[in-house]
Structure formats: structure tokens, C-alpha cells
Amino acid sequence: MVEALREIAIDADMPSRLAQVTEPAQAKLEVRNLSIAYGGTPALVGVNLEIQENEIFGIIGPANSGKTSFLKALNRMDMFNSDMQVSGEVFFNGRNVRQWRNVYALRSRIGVVFPLPVGLPMTVYDNVALAPRLSGITNKAELNEIVERCLSRAALWDEVKDRLNSLGSLLSGGQQQRLTIARALSQEPDLLMLDEFSIAVDPVTTMRIEDVLKELRKEMTIILVTNLTQQARRLADRTAFFLSGSCVEVGDTEALFTGQVEDTRTADYIAGRFG
């Protein structure tokens, strides 16, 4: 009888104990054996890594290590370059990006900001309102709200709110870079990729954008390609080191920067011994 009661007690406790068991979180982005070549010349070979929800994932490495090519493959920008050949698999929210029939819908979920800001030849307002309009939003009040929200999130609203009807191309370089970020945010991406955004931006604006990214990580996942190793240290939760078309290693950012590396080349690059 005692043994039977014990078994009943165990069974009764089973649901509560099972409730404590949680499934491992699915990676936001999973890259499997990704390789990229241009006209047969390898640019990236056999990259495998995972990027988690709401993390800032840094990518560092010298020029021509495959960092930008990696970003382009994630939202299928290779379709714009007939010489770019991509193999391997990329899963975004568990779905193979190569199986998305609507590539434009994919790119609205995976936004990208490249190094040099490109303001579209239209007003500041229209730069941000373009994507919402293309998605079918026509209500002026709703568009106004989107424009203000995105410019605010990009730390630009206070500087341009009185000249929304001016050409975006007339803004300063740093303002245009933030306008580009606002335009990317107008599509409400799940994943935002930034490729060396600091190149054309002054140090003060760089710090402002870094503060923006820290806030945005609460809402989305961010991939940050940077040629400034200390920027990766300030912002990234984890960092990947790319070199000569390979992902040498991925690790906790602070661990990598304090010498806890698997490959001495990572430590040498971080220390500025090459690159």
C-alpha cells in the first residue's frame, strides 16, 4: 500500500516537474556549411554558426575575409550578382531562406545597412514612409506615426522633425546613416544587419548609434560587422572572427577579448598584431 501511494504521489507530481523542463530556444539564425564564391573564386568556405534571439552578434576580421559576403547571403542579395555562387543552408526562424518564394518579404524581415549611407532621392519623410506605403499603408496619420517612431528609434527625430520635407541627401553624413537605419526599421525587421556603419560617421554620431543599437536589441536580433574591434567589445554578446574566407571561431565577446581563444590568430587580430 505504501509503495502504491508513493507511485501515485510521483505520478501526481509529474506535471509540475515536467513544467520545469523547457525546450531549448530555437536559434534566430542558423548557418550550416555556408560557402560563397565569385566566378569560381572562394570568398567564404564552410561557415557554421548560430545567432540567438535578441542578441547583438559581432563579426570582426580584416578586409576580404568574407564578412560582407556573409551578410549578403543571409537575405539572398546574391540574386543581384550573377557571379556570386552560394551553397549551404541558412535557416531564419527555422525556415530555409532559399525556400522563401517572396524574397522581398524575406528582406523586410532581415534588414541591412551598408557602410556608406544612401539616401533615396526623396524627402526625409518619404525615405522612411516608402516601405510602409509599398506594404499597403495609405492612412496619413498611421504613416506619420511610423515615420516619427522610426526616426526616434534611430535617434534622428529631434534633428529633422522641422525639415521632413527636405531632401534626405542634404543631411550630414551621420544623419544620412541614421536615416538609413530608420528606413530599415520602417519594415519592422526581426533581424537587423549593419556592415561597418562607422566608416562614414564621426565618433560622436558613432556613439549615438551604438546607444540606439543597445535599445534595439530589446526588440530584435542584430548582426554587427565592424572593423573596430573595441566596438564589438562594447556592443556584442558574442563575436565571430573571420579570416581569409573562414570563420575561425565564435565565442563570448568578453572571453575572446581577455584571451580565452581557441586559435591564437584570434588573439593576434584583437591585439592588433595584424589586419
Side-chain angles (χ1 to χ4, degrees), residues 249-261:
E249 67 178 290
V250 178
D252 175 83
T253 298
E254 194 58 28
L256 294 182
F257 277 80
T258 54
Q260 301 173 53
V261 299

Side-chain angles (χ1 to χ4, degrees), residues 28-174:
K28 190 69 175 177
L29 193 80
E30 183 179 357
V31 178
R32 300 178 185 172
N33 199 32
L34 179 67
S35 295
I36 300 171
Y38 292 91
T41 302
L44 204 63
V45 179
V47 172
N48 293 278
L49 54 84
E50 291 185 357
I51 298 174
Q52 304 302 323
E53 186 88 32
N54 296 108
E55 79 168 329
I56 297 180
F57 186 87
I59 301 178
I60 60 174
N64 300 315
S65 57
K67 305 185 300 295
T68 298
S69 294
F70 176 77
L71 296 187
K72 289 181 177 179
L74 299 188
N75 69 356
R76 294 179 56 183
M77 294 190 71
D78 54 285
M79 68 184 294
F80 297 122
N81 188 341
S82 59
D83 288 334
M84 184 176 176
Q85 298 93 43
V86 178
S87 62
E89 296 177 307
V90 176
F91 291 89
F92 174 61
N93 288 334
R95 184 178 174 187
N96 192 327
V97 300
R98 296 282 153 179
Q99 296 176 357
W100 282 62
R101 303 180 75 175
N102 187 338
V103 179
Y104 301 101
L106 171 66
R107 295 198 188 107
S108 71
R109 303 268 58 80
I110 304 178
V112 59
V113 176
F114 287 112
L116 297 177
V118 180
L120 298 177
M122 53 183 65
T123 67
V124 172
Y125 184 99
D126 289 337
N127 261 271
V128 183
L130 177 62
R133 282 176 174 147
L134 291 175
S135 69
I137 298 175
T138 58
N139 182 274
K140 182 66 173 178
E142 186 174 359
L143 287 171
N144 289 346
E145 192 276 330
I146 291 172
V147 169
E148 180 175 352
R149 182 177 73 247
C150 293
L151 288 172
S152 296
R153 292 166 80 194
L156 187 57
W157 173 253
D158 288 340
E159 297 173 36
V160 301
K161 61 184 179 182
D162 295 325
R163 45 180 173 149
L164 296 176
N165 293 322
S166 299
L167 285 174
S169 56
L170 296 179
L171 298 177
S172 69

